[in-house]
């Protein structure tokens, strides 16, 4: 069985690999039967001319370094940026949001899922500069060896498929504070 620790619901406008094409993907669409039960979004306004840290209500921490936002022309964005974050970190949130844990029909084990979207002050979609990526920390009680990060693609019926698996980078090592 394949395993996943932080499947990203959709990287939406955050394209960690390339910024040639911007495709705005909403968290849901009008036909989605789960649109009324999906986990609620949280909204944050950042100043892109400096580094920012956002903490979600359920404990996800996202660090946005200065220079991480790019516009559709690949230019660094300064000024106000609006962040939309939705955290699905428990089974009920995942079920009510129709966040199945499968990749091309194969089961995944998850430690949590996030929806993340960034737009400029005028509402234009943004991407992440691959040379200055964001750092995401998801509070999970169990992290299994070999877990991966996935990009989520939702079809018109609301079904989720997790694609493009990649290894998660570990920057911090947990140490018991009492030692």
């Amino acid at each position: 069985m394949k395993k996943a620790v932080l499947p990203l619901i959709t990287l939406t406008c955050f394209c960690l690999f390339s910024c040639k094409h911007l495709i705005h993907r909403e968290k849901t669409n009008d036909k989605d039967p789960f649109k009324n039960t999906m986990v609620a979004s949280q909204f944050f306004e950042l100043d892109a001319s400096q580094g920012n840290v956002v903490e979600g209500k359920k404990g996800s921490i996202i660090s946005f370094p200065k220079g991480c936002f790019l516009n559709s022309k690949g230019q660094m964005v300064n000024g106000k940026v609006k962040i939309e974050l939705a955290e699905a970190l428990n089974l009920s949130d995942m079920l009510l949001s129709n966040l199945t844990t499968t990749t091309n029909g194969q089961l995944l084990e998850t430690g949590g899922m996030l929806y993340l979207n960034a737009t400029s002050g005028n509402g234009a979609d943004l991407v992440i500069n691959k040379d200055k990526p964001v750092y995401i920390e998801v509070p999970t009680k169990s992290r299994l060896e070999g877990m991966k990060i996935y990009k989520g693609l939702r079809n018109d019926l609301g079904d989720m498929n997790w694609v493009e698996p990649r290894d998660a980078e570990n920057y911090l090592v947990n140490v018991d504070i009492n030692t």
Side-chain angles (χ1 to χ4, degrees):
M1 180 186 321
K2 293 184 180 180
K3 298 175 173 45
V5 73
L6 173 65
L8 298 175
I9 292 174
T10 40
L11 291 179
T12 53
C13 302
F14 280 9
C15 177
L16 299 176
F17 313 108
S18 166
C19 57
K20 291 180 182 175
H21 303 285
L22 284 174
I23 301 171
H24 185 77
R25 293 190 179 111
E26 299 292 333
K27 188 170 91 173
T28 185
N29 65 53
D30 291 338
K31 297 177 189 176
D32 193 329
F34 290 83
K35 68 182 176 189
N36 295 324
T37 60
M38 279 194 186
V39 64
S41 290
Q42 304 161 59
F43 296 92
F44 304 89
E45 188 170 282
L46 310 179
D47 180 356
S49 64
Q50 62 186 20
N52 298 272
V53 176
V54 166
E55 183 173 357
K57 291 178 182 176
K58 295 185 179 182
S60 298
I61 298 172
I62 306 167
S63 177
F64 299 93
K66 179 181 176 181
C68 72
F69 298 107
L70 300 176
N71 63 21
S72 62
K73 297 177 183 174
Q75 300 166 328
M76 190 183 323
V77 173
N78 288 307
K80 293 183 181 185
V81 171
K82 185 176 180 182
I83 298 294
E84 179 181 2
L85 169 66
E87 301 167 287
L89 304 179
N90 59 47
L91 183 59
S92 62
D93 285 345
M94 292 175 202
L95 291 174
L96 290 171
S97 299
N98 196 27
L99 297 173
T100 57
T101 54
T102 59
T103 178
N104 300 320
Q106 296 196 358
L107 291 176
L108 296 171
E109 186 170 341
T110 184
M113 301 177 207
L114 300 178
Y115 172 84
L116 196 53
N117 186 33
T119 54
S120 67
N122 66 3
D125 295 327
L126 301 176
V127 296
I128 295 297
N129 182 346
K130 67 179 180 177
D131 296 326
K132 297 194 181 220
V134 299
Y135 168 79
I136 301 173
E137 185 177 317
V138 176
T140 182
K141 292 179 182 174
S142 63
R143 180 177 171 142
L144 301 174
E145 188 69 31
M147 291 183 118
K148 298 197 179 284
I149 297 171
Y150 287 77
K151 175 180 177 180
L153 298 177
R154 190 180 291 278
N155 68 18
D156 287 341
L157 300 174
D159 297 323
M160 186 65 72
N161 186 35
W162 300 102
V163 297
E164 300 177 23
R166 59 187 176 90
D167 293 328
E169 295 180 29
N170 292 314
Y171 296 105
L172 302 175
V173 177
N174 292 334
V175 177
D176 184 347
I177 196 165
N178 296 316
T179 58

